[in-house]
């Protein structure tokens, strides 16, 4: 301020505290620097497209990954580098982002790199809206997934080769078992000793149960699991078919259809063979009023198998603990092998109940 003589006698001023603004500016600058570093050193391709499909931004990673410098990409239309067969996929993804107003992810397409090679890329894009709510650009990122796709394809081819090899192994094992079964049957027909014939007959039945399993594996789409219903139905029919006069036998099957591992099915098949064979050989004086039933169910990952016959019954003196017969010992051993428990019921014939968890 000046006096009447024009001399400055005082100064009037206004001050404002801009500390907060300075801190905000510094924080903004730091944030921008962080994002700049992230973008420039990203292993992904970061880009933006305008409404015509032309690139308006390309991160420095473009040159490192595709061989194109950002200056070459910016201004170019995306269809100049996208494979002709994939143009529709990319166009649809862009249109969906704009019109549906939401992010589009996992768009897979091929682009030509600067060296002329085609690479598989996967992109995610998000529309950017102006003040009027209209989208006029899309920002996104993409990555080269060629190596991972080739690795996946290689793994799938190896798995197919493995399946073919396993099927061939199952087929050959089945054929070898068939040869063994034929040899046992031939030897059985040549024997006069009842005990020897019985041993050979039992052995043939055990081989047959495994042969049926491998036959099912050979015909199955899976080499590790099978339908228990399909396996047991075929197995029971084959075992009973070995005995003369089986036409008079009444057979009741009530088997739930579920899948089990072959590691479990193999011992189960031998167990069922032993139970049926014992009933057919020892339970009935003849088959005129004979009945065999097999019930299998699974509840809450626990399987229950109930086998019954209406034959003469099993003496009280015979149990898994004191039996000297190989068949009973084999059943007990295989039940333990699958982590199960087995019990005997003696009313109205003989029944066996097997339970185990899967």
């Amino acid at each position: 301020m000046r006096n009447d003589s024009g001399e400055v006698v005082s100064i009037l001023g206004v001050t404002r505290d801009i500390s907060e603004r300075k801190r905000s500016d510094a924080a903004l600058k730091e944030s921008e620097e962080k994002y700049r570093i992230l973008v420039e050193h990203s292993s992904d391709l970061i880009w933006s497209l305008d409404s015509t499909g032309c690139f308006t931004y390309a991160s420095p990673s473009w040159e490192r990954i595709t061989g194109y410098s950002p200056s070459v990409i910016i201004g170019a239309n995306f269809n100049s580098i996208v494979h002709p067969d994939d143009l529709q996929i990319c166009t649809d993804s862009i249109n969906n982002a704009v019109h549906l107003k939401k992010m589009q992810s996992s768009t897979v397409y091929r682009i030509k790199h600067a060296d002329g090679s085609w690479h598989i890329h996967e992109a995610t894009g998000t529309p950017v809206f102006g003040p009027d709510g209209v989208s006029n650009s899309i920002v996104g990122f993409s990555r080269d997934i060629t190596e991972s796709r080739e690795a996946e394809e290689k793994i799938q081819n190896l798995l197919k080769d493995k399946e073919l090899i396993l099927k061939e192994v199952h087929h050959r094992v089945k054929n070898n078992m068939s040869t063994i079964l034929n040899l046992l049957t031939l030897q059985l027909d040549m024997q006069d000793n009842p005990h020897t014939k019985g041993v050979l007959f039992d052995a043939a039945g055990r081989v047959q149960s495994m042969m049926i399993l491998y036959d099912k594996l050979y015909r199955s789409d899976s080499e590790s699991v099978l339908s228990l219903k399909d396996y047991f139905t075929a197995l029971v029919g084959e075992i009973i078919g070995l005995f003369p006069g089986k036409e008079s036998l009444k057979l009741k099957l009530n088997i739930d259809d579920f899948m089990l591992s072959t590691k479990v099915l193999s011992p189960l098949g031998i167990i069922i063979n032993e139970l049926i064979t014992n009933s057919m050989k020892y339970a009935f004086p003849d088959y005129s009023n004979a009945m065999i039933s097999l019930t299998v169910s699974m509840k809450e990952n626990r399987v229950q198998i109930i086998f019954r016959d209406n034959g003469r019954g099993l003496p009280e003196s015979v149990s898994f603990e004191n039996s000297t017969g190989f068949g009973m010992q084999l059943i007990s051993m295989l039940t333990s092998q699958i982590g199960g428990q087995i019990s005997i019921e003696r009313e109205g014939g003989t029944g066996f109940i097997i339970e185990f968890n899967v």
Side-chain angles (χ1 to χ4, degrees):
M1 297 182 68
R2 300 176 184 275
N3 58 18
D4 293 340
S5 301
E7 296 175 339
V8 176
V9 295
S10 64
I11 297 175
L12 179 65
V14 178
T15 61
R16 180 180 298 167
D17 188 347
I18 61 172
S19 302
E20 187 63 32
R21 191 182 73 187
K22 285 290 186 179
R23 284 193 290 270
S24 297
D25 289 345
L28 178 61
K29 185 176 181 180
E30 181 181 358
S31 177
E32 289 175 345
E33 181 66 13
K34 287 180 180 178
Y35 281 110
R36 183 188 65 79
I37 293 172
L38 286 173
V39 168
E40 291 183 355
H41 294 84
S42 172
S43 58
D44 292 336
L45 303 176
I46 301 173
W47 44 265
S48 64
L49 297 173
D50 64 16
S51 58
T52 66
C54 290
F55 288 97
T56 56
Y57 175 78
S59 63
S61 56
W62 275 82
E63 186 164 13
R64 183 175 70 256
I65 296 172
T66 69
Y68 298 117
S69 67
S71 60
V72 172
I73 292 298
I74 294 174
N77 195 286
F78 77 89
N79 59 23
S80 64
I81 58 173
V82 172
H83 194 284
D85 293 343
D86 298 336
L87 282 174
Q88 191 61 50
I89 296 173
C90 295
T91 301
D92 291 344
S93 181
I94 292 172
N95 290 337
N96 287 337
V98 172
H99 296 117
L100 299 179
K101 298 183 179 182
K102 65 179 183 179
M103 180 179 70
Q104 300 296 303
S105 60
S106 301
T107 302
V108 178
Y109 55 95
R110 290 161 289 178
I111 74 167
K112 181 185 286 187
H113 284 201
D115 62 2
S117 62
W118 291 98
H119 287 243
I120 304 172
H121 284 221
E122 184 177 39
T124 296
T126 302
V128 178
F129 300 97
D132 57 357
V134 177
S135 173
N136 51 20
S137 65
I138 294 176
V139 297
F141 64 89
S142 56
R143 63 184 51 177
D144 189 337
I145 61 170
T146 305
E147 290 186 1
S148 63
R149 280 299 178 94
E150 290 176 348
E152 288 175 7
E153 185 176 348
K154 185 176 181 180
I155 291 172
Q156 289 302 318
N157 289 333
L158 289 173
L159 288 174
K160 289 179 181 178
D161 291 342
K162 176 190 172 186
E163 290 175 1
L164 289 173
I165 292 171
L166 283 173
K167 283 189 175 294
E168 180 62 21
V169 169
H170 292 152
H171 183 58
R172 294 193 179 193
V173 169
K174 187 203 76 169
N175 287 342
N176 290 337
M177 287 185 173
S178 179
T179 301
I180 294 172
L181 179 62
N182 290 334
L183 290 172
L184 288 170
T185 303
L186 181 63
Q187 190 70 30
L188 190 153
D189 292 338
M190 297 173 62
Q191 293 296 321
D192 295 324
N193 186 297
H195 176 72
T196 304
K197 289 176 72 74
V199 171
L200 291 172
F201 187 88
D202 292 347
R206 292 161 191 149
V207 171
Q208 187 175 46
S209 71
M210 292 184 286
M211 189 177 74
I212 293 171
L213 175 60
Y214 277 97
D215 181 62
K216 291 291 182 183
L217 284 173
Y218 175 68
R219 301 174 190 277
S220 170
D221 293 331
S222 172
E223 71 280 355
S224 58
V225 295
L226 279 176
S227 163
L228 181 135
K229 183 175 183 177
D230 290 347
Y231 176 46
F232 271 13
T233 301
L235 177 63
V236 171
E238 291 287 341
I239 297 170
I240 292 178
L242 295 173
F243 292 87
K246 71 277 186 179
E247 296 82 6
S248 302
L249 176 77
K250 186 175 182 180
L251 179 65
K252 294 182 178 180
L253 298 180
N254 185 16
I255 304 172
D256 289 353
D257 195 4
F258 54 90
M259 308 297 284
L260 279 183
S261 163
T262 54
K263 292 182 179 180
V264 177
L265 287 176
S266 181
L268 281 180
I270 298 175
I271 290 172
I272 295 301
N273 173 75
E274 295 299 318
L275 295 176
I276 295 176
T277 300
N278 285 340
S279 292
M280 297 295 288
K281 288 171 65 176
Y282 306 119
F284 311 111
D286 58 65
Y287 300 136
S288 57
N289 296 310
M291 186 273 293
I292 286 178
S293 69
L294 179 63
T295 302
V296 185
S297 60
M298 182 170 71
K299 185 177 182 181
E300 296 180 354
N301 296 324
R302 187 162 181 83
V303 177
Q304 183 183 67
I305 300 174
I306 303 175
F307 175 87
R308 298 183 187 278
D309 68 49
N310 65 342
R312 56 172 55 98
L314 200 64
E316 290 288 343
S317 59
V318 177
S319 67
F320 290 109
E321 291 76 16
N322 61 17
S323 176
T324 58
F326 178 71
M328 292 286 282
Q329 293 177 3
L330 184 60
I331 292 171
S332 179
M333 179 185 67
L334 292 175
T335 302
S336 297
Q337 180 180 313
I338 62 174
Q341 298 82 40
I342 186 168
S343 59
I344 303 174
E345 293 186 347
R346 304 174 192 272
E347 293 183 6
T350 303
F352 294 88
I353 300 176
I354 302 170
E355 294 183 318
F356 59 93
N357 294 324
V358 293

